């Protein structure tokens, strides 16, 4: 965003800046600096716990519990070796990858056409359907978990990847549909009409024009879906069994009856953050890359 | 990760589930006792060969021991056992969901007295007395009489709300016991010439005297214990409540604010003033860490924390003394927590499940489990075994003290009810506010009594 602002000001203020423009520019720069400072402070505040966990994951047990806390210590990678060498952490980690990826694929297959239809077609009960999808997010998970558990027990979906992927739709689908719907609604219909004028059908318009335009929205909503699915706790706690345990419950194995293995738990936490970060980095490129300014004259 | 505490989780789960459970469970009442379909001629470990059962347990030395040795059971009986363990709070949520659904997926599970009350009131858990009495189902050498009587009493309840403890159905078989002891630092007491306190007043005087002194280059606090506003905090406090003869509820009315109730809390608050300021938010875990850090002289909590104090990496190994809970006007007292094994009333493999529970609470397994740190054993024979003496030989008086607490002082001192945990939370909250000085003891307890009365109506 900031790059764009810079661009705007530079093109707006053409030639030599007059005194007024100069003052405006200076005021703008001050405001800009304040914003940067505030955002940096907020980032520090938000990242501090994660930095702390990262430090903890590199400490020896005696350095972790020492009071006052140590900020300088001899780092060790023992905790990571413990975590990555056993199936204790790796199995839930892989399970989480499978289930989250599966959920996103399914959400995309169902959600993208659904969002398009809700945005572009006129049909009876459109709003009811849209609200119906959204209401999956209203219902507290605890309310739906029991009937789901019963259904899963009866149908054999309990403790299976497919079952979890289906259950995760409750988390991922409503968000994606609503985000994309509003995104598509914001795009001018003229673009698709232009394709029709050139003899293309709806599918061509969708594939060649619309899909590219909604890419940033798609990226953003997939990113959020990924994080929510990855962090989902109640659903897998009740619906996953010992074969499909996921990371959110798996990480807690380091809390045993009378002691907590802080080191391995911190290392496991750090490792489990990585997929989310990678996913975010890739979708961000997509989001920024998909910015299309000035396709239509206002 | 989730904004709800386990207790609130359980409550909201209960609320959410109650409606559905009512619908689901309507019209299917679990059969009582051994059913005729699995009728067997006489007891034989092979009676249920070829069946399969599922077991849900919390992470615990007991479940560790069962997991390690379950192969023996499978070869002995031909029953296949699938075991799933989760951390305590996760397992609480999961077992509640499972029982409410009535699906009978998990045949056996770990449980404890307050949980039994909830499950038994709802009819989710099998009464095991008929099974114990059935010679065709119970191994002749299982020896039911070998369990500590106090523990068997704690597992009984006739499902009357706020009454009938120790009578009626037997809801689970005890497999692990903890009582509440006074831990003290031998070296600190010795350096200051203080005798081990026997009474509550002596303890308070000693803690005050030691509070703020220097030892080993550290500033020492007199005392530490749990102070969090949830019902488990009442376990250490139960030693004071019992010593003053406090009852939570008498004849359906809250009596936490009785004269002795106020006295007990006043003493407890006085003692907690010598604890670190943060102790008012401690659960057992933080309190234990605090004592392990070596900065507190006295600590009242679960006696079976001893293995953690005495392990090689501990800074206080060999320096801890174990004593009975301090005495008050009504003598000594201790609460207890009993991890047990219960049977799902909706189980479809009750015969095989009963065999599993027998095996998991047998003398052999409980003896083996000592090696996993399953303190304390629930059978008299295992408690007195040479294995137990060997495992605890470097822990001072531990082996003597825990047995004395269990044999003479420990009981479940609270009124049995499905809603007891809520009552316990209210009581613990009022104690916390008195410790923090937010209100005086009497006001806090009067307020708690009103809240408890409206909660149980």
């Amino acid at each position: 965003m900031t790059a764009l602002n810079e661009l705007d000001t530079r093109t707006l203020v053409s030639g030599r800046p007059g005194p007024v423009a100069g003052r405006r520019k200076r005021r703008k720069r001050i405001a800009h600096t304040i914003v940067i400072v505030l955002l940096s402070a907020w980032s520090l505040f938000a990242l501090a716990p994660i930095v702390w966990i990262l430090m903890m994951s590199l400490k020896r047990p005696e350095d972790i519990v020492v009071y006052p806390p140590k900020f300088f210590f001899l780092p060790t990678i023992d905790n990571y070796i413990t975590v990555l060498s056993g199936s204790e952490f790796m199995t839930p980690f892989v399970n989480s990858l499978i289930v989250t990826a599966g959920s996103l694929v399914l959400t995309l297959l169902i959600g993208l056409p659904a969002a398009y239809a809700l945005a572009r077609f006129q049909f009876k009960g459109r709003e009811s359907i849209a609200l119906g999808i959204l209401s999956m997010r209203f219902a507290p998970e605890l309310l739906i978990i029991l009937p789901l558990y019963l259904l899963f027990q009866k149908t054999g979906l309990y403790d299976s990847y497919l079952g979890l992927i289906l259950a995760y739709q409750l988390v991922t689908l409503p968000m994606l549909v609503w985000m994309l719907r509003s995104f598509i609604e914001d795009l001018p219909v003229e673009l698709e009409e232009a394709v029709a004028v050139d003899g293309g059908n709806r599918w061509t318009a969708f594939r060649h024009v619309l899909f590219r335009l909604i890419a940033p929205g798609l990226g953003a909503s997939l990113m959020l879906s990924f994080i929510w699915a990855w962090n989902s706790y109640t659903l897998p706690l009740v619906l996953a069994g010992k074969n499909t345990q996921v990371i959110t419950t798996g990480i807690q194995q380091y809390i045993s009856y009378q002691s907590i293995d802080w080191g391995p738990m911190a290392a496991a936490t750090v490792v489990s953050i990585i997929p989310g970060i990678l996913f975010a980095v890739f979708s961000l490129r997509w989001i920024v890359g998909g910015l299309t300014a000035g396709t239509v004259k206002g | 990760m989730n904004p709800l505490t386990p207790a609130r989780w359980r409550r909201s789960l209960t609320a959410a589930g109650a409606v559905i459970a009512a619908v689901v469970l309507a019209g299917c009442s679990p059969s009582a006792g051994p059913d005729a379909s699995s009728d067997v001629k006489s007891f034989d470990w092979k009676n249920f060969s070829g069946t399969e059962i599922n077991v849900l347990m919390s992470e615990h030395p007991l479940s560790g021991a069962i997991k390690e040795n379950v192969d023996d059971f499978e070869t002995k009986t031909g029953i296949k056992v699938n075991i799933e363990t989760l951390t305590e709070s996760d397992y609480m949520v999961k077992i509640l969901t499972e029982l409410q659904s009535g699906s009978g997926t998990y045949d056996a599970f770990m449980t404890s007295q307050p949980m039994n009350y909830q499950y038994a009131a709802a009819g989710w858990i099998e009464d095991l007395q008929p099974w114990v009495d059935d010679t065709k189902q119970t191994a002749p050498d299982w020896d039911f009489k070998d369990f500590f009587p106090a523990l068997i009493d704690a597992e009984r309840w006739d499902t009357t709300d706020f009454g009938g403890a120790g009578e009626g159905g037997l809801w689970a078989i005890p497999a692990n016991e903890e009582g509440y002891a006074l831990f003290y630092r031998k070296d600190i007491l010795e350096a200051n010439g203080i005798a081990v306190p026997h009474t509550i007043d002596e303890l308070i005087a000693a803690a005050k005297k030691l509070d703020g002194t220097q030892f080993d280059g550290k500033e020492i606090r007199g005392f530490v214990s749990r102070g969090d506003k949830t019902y488990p905090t009442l376990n250490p406090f139960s030693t004071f409540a019992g010593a003053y003869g406090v009852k939570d509820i008498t004849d359906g009315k809250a009596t936490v604010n009785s004269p002795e109730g106020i006295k007990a809390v006043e003493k407890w608050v006085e003692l907690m003033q010598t604890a670190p300021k943060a102790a008012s938010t401690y659960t057992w875990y933080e309190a234990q860490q605090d004592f392990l850090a070596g900065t507190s002289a006295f600590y009242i909590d679960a006696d079976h924390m001893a293995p953690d104090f005495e392990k090689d990496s501990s800074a206080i190994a060999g320096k801890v003394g174990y004593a009975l809970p301090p005495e008050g006007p009504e003598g000594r007292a201790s609460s207890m927590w009993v991890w047990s094994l219960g049977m799902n009333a909706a189980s479809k493999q009750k015969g095989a499940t009963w065999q599993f529970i027998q095996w998991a609470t047998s003398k052999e397994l409980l003896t083996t489990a000592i090696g996993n740190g399953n303190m304390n054993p629930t059978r008299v024979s295992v408690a007195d075994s040479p294995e137990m003496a060997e495992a605890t030989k470097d822990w001072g008086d531990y082996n003597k003290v825990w047995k004395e607490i269990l044999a003479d002082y420990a009981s479940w001192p609270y009124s049995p009810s499905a809603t007891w945990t809520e009552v316990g939370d209210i009581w613990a909250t009022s104690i916390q506010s008195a410790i923090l000085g937010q209100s005086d003891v009497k006001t806090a307890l009067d307020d708690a009594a009103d809240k408890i009365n409206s909660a149980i109506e």
Side-chain angles (χ1 to χ4, degrees):
Chain A
M1 290 318 291
T2 53
L4 274 176
N5 286 341
E6 291 283 293
L7 210 81
D8 287 351
T9 39
R10 220 171 302 149
T11 43
L12 278 171
V13 188
S14 49
R16 274 177 315 169
V20 180
R23 205 175 315 141
R24 193 181 306 151
K25 206 167 167 179
R26 206 168 29 248
R27 203 178 303 155
K28 209 159 184 163
R29 197 173 299 140
I30 291 168
H32 190 72
T33 315
I34 290 172
V35 167
I36 294 281
V37 167
L38 285 175
L39 284 175
S40 309
W42 174 252
S43 307
L44 275 179
F45 177 74
L47 286 175
I50 296 176
V51 171
W52 185 251
I53 291 173
L54 183 67
M55 280 167 63
M56 207 154 83
S57 71
L58 296 167
K59 284 179 179 176
R60 286 168 319 187
E62 57 270 32
D63 286 339
I64 291 174
V65 290
V66 76
Y67 188 85
K70 274 191 187 171
F71 287 92
F72 301 100
F73 53 91
L74 197 69
T76 166
I77 54 162
D78 286 355
N79 295 326
Y80 286 92
I81 293 169
T82 311
V83 164
L84 296 174
S85 59
S87 63
E88 212 177 25
F89 169 81
M90 287 320 278
T91 311
F93 185 70
V94 171
N95 284 345
S96 261
L97 283 176
I98 293 171
V99 174
T100 307
S103 306
L104 288 192
V105 169
L106 188 61
T107 293
L108 205 55
L109 285 177
I110 305 171
L112 191 54
Y116 182 77
L118 288 170
R120 285 285 186 255
F121 298 162
Q122 296 295 338
F123 53 92
K124 216 172 152 219
R126 185 173 75 154
E127 287 311 306
S128 313
I129 291 174
L131 271 174
I133 293 175
L134 187 64
S135 69
M136 292 182 184
R137 283 303 289 164
F138 297 156
E141 284 175 343
L142 292 174
L143 198 70
I144 45 178
I145 201 83
L146 198 64
L148 262 187
Y149 181 75
L150 271 170
L151 279 173
F152 275 38
Q153 294 284 11
K154 293 253 189 307
T155 51
L157 283 168
Y158 174 75
D159 196 17
S160 71
Y161 291 133
L162 180 63
L164 283 179
I165 288 171
L166 288 173
Y168 274 35
Q169 297 309 307
L170 291 168
V171 178
T172 54
L173 190 65
M175 218 233 7
L176 186 113
V177 168
W178 274 76
M179 254 180 103
L180 284 185
R181 182 192 179 186
S182 60
F183 222 84
I184 295 171
E185 278 174 347
D186 285 351
L187 290 172
V189 187
E190 289 85 347
L191 286 174
E192 283 150 276
E193 284 168 351
V195 178
V197 168
D198 293 339
N201 57 12
R202 221 173 237 294
W203 173 237
T204 325
F206 180 80
R207 212 176 47 201
H208 290 292
V209 180
L210 210 62
F211 189 75
R212 276 156 211 221
L213 295 177
I214 59 169
L218 197 59
S221 51
L222 276 181
M223 187 165 93
L224 280 174
S225 294
F226 179 95
I227 291 167
W228 283 356
W230 186 261
N231 291 347
S232 183
Y233 181 78
T234 324
L235 291 169
L237 169 60
V238 178
L239 302 175
K242 61 177 200 188
N243 303 316
T244 50
Q245 189 184 39
V246 298
I247 196 85
T248 33
T249 50
I251 270 185
Q252 300 194 54
Q253 295 174 84
Y254 298 103
I255 306 176
S256 62
Y257 183 54
Q258 293 252 310
S259 63
I260 299 182
D261 292 338
W262 287 111
M265 192 153 85
T269 308
V270 171
V271 174
S272 66
I273 293 175
I274 292 170
I277 293 178
L278 286 178
F279 196 87
V281 165
F282 283 113
S283 25
L284 271 177
R285 297 176 70 170
W286 221 24
I287 293 166
V288 176
L291 283 173
T292 47
T295 42
V296 176
K297 290 200 173 71
Chain B
M1 222 169 330
N2 67 67
L4 291 169
T5 60
R8 281 189 46 207
W9 257 82
R10 283 202 295 279
R11 274 207 292 279
S12 33
L13 253 178
T14 317
V19 183
I20 304 155
V23 176
V24 171
L25 291 170
C28 64
S29 59
S31 63
D35 53 22
S37 64
S38 66
D39 217 5
V40 288
K41 285 189 192 56
S42 63
F43 182 82
D44 187 340
W45 284 109
K46 289 281 183 205
N47 275 346
F48 301 96
S49 186
T51 54
E52 191 172 331
I53 60 169
N54 298 309
V55 181
L56 183 64
M57 290 186 288
S58 161
E59 299 275 358
H60 187 279
L62 173 70
S63 48
I66 290 175
K67 263 203 272 199
E68 274 172 37
N69 297 290
V70 77
D71 293 352
D72 301 348
F73 175 75
E74 290 183 325
T75 25
K76 186 175 181 172
T77 59
I79 299 168
K80 187 172 183 319
V81 186
N82 305 311
I83 298 180
E84 200 176 319
T85 53
L86 291 165
T87 53
E88 200 171 309
S89 53
D90 282 359
Y91 131 92
M92 295 264 189
V93 173
K94 186 142 183 178
I95 191 65
L96 196 57
T97 315
E98 155 64 28
L99 292 173
Q100 277 174 333
S101 79
S103 72
T105 306
Y106 294 101
D107 303 280
F109 50 89
M110 257 166 81
T111 176
S112 62
Q113 327 87 296
M115 294 158 75
N116 285 346
Y117 299 143
Q118 191 182 358
Y119 305 159
W124 297 332
I125 192 169
E126 179 91 0
D127 178 4
L128 296 176
Q129 193 61 49
W131 291 89
V132 172
D133 298 337
D134 189 340
T135 49
K136 287 191 217 139
Q137 301 284 3
T138 302
D141 58 352
W142 183 60
D143 197 1
F144 180 62
K145 295 202 164 36
D146 188 27
F147 290 102
F148 283 94
L151 299 179
I152 295 297
D153 282 349
E155 305 280 13
R156 286 191 198 282
W157 182 43
D158 65 4
T159 67
T160 343
D161 226 11
F162 299 106
E167 292 152 29
L170 176 74
W171 302 108
I173 305 292
N176 169 281
E177 180 272 344
E178 65 186 69
Y180 297 85
L182 172 66
F183 309 123
Y184 60 93
R185 286 281 302 279
K186 291 187 286 198
D187 48 351
I188 298 180
L189 265 61
E190 209 166 304
N192 290 277
I194 291 177
V196 179
H198 287 288
T199 66
I200 285 178
D201 291 330
E202 282 172 19
L203 173 62
I204 294 173
K208 279 185 171 166
K209 198 168 158 187
L210 290 172
D211 192 34
T213 56
Q214 291 286 327
F215 183 81
D216 221 5
K218 291 191 186 117
E219 188 180 334
I220 297 295
R221 300 307 313 256
F223 181 71
V224 69
S225 193
R226 311 181 200 184
D228 188 56
K229 56 175 192 253
T230 51
Y231 76 86
T233 296
L234 297 175
N235 280 330
F237 169 72
S238 70
T239 56
F240 277 47
Y244 280 89
V246 187
K247 278 268 156 274
D248 53 354
I249 287 156
T250 316
D251 304 327
K253 279 273 171 273
T255 45
V256 294
N257 58 343
S258 61
E260 64 272 17
I262 293 171
K263 194 83 193 138
V265 176
E266 276 173 351
K267 292 285 181 189
W268 181 254
V269 168
E270 195 180 348
L271 181 59
M272 282 296 272
Q273 298 310 314
T274 70
K277 190 111 187 81
S280 58
T281 59
Y282 281 180
T283 63
W284 65 263
Y285 178 76
E286 290 86 15
Q288 186 195 28
Q289 289 299 316
D290 188 290
F291 194 66
L292 278 167
T295 50
S296 297
F298 293 105
Y299 177 25
I300 292 178
D301 215 320
D303 51 15
H304 70 165
M305 288 184 175
D308 286 305
F309 299 154
E310 306 292 350
K311 66 183 175 210
D312 295 341
S313 60
S314 157
I316 55 172
K319 299 174 185 168
V320 182
Y322 302 92
L324 297 173
E327 202 170 349
E330 301 289 326
R332 293 185 206 272
S334 159
S335 170
M336 58 159 74
W337 183 273
V338 190
W339 279 119
S340 323
L341 288 164
M343 191 194 298
N344 192 336
S347 162
K348 296 168 191 75
Q349 296 289 355
K350 289 185 180 171
T353 307
W354 176 237
Q355 286 202 343
F356 171 80
I357 293 177
Q358 286 178 70
W359 168 80
T361 54
S362 63
K363 288 174 196 173
E364 295 75 18
L365 189 94
L366 289 178
T367 308
T368 310
I370 293 172
N372 295 68
N374 185 39
M375 306 283 166
N376 296 305
T378 49
R379 285 175 170 272
V380 177
S381 65
V382 182
D384 296 329
S385 66
E387 287 88 351
M388 190 67 191
E390 176 61 27
T392 56
K393 69 176 190 309
D394 300 330
W395 305 352
D397 293 336
Y398 178 78
N399 207 21
K400 186 165 122 298
V401 169
W402 81 263
K403 276 190 267 194
E404 201 172 331
I405 294 174
L406 176 51
D408 302 341
Y409 307 114
S411 65
W412 179 250
Y414 311 112
S415 305
S417 157
T419 53
W420 182 81
T421 52
E422 204 179 328
V423 172
D425 284 353
I426 296 170
W427 197 4
T429 306
S430 68
I431 295 172
Q432 186 198 48
S433 72
I435 289 170
L436 291 171
Q438 293 163 335
S439 61
D440 66 286
V441 174
K442 190 174 176 334
T443 319
L445 287 172
D446 287 344
D447 190 36
D450 291 344
K451 283 198 184 122
I452 291 171
N453 285 332
S454 52
I456 57 184
E457 265 154 26

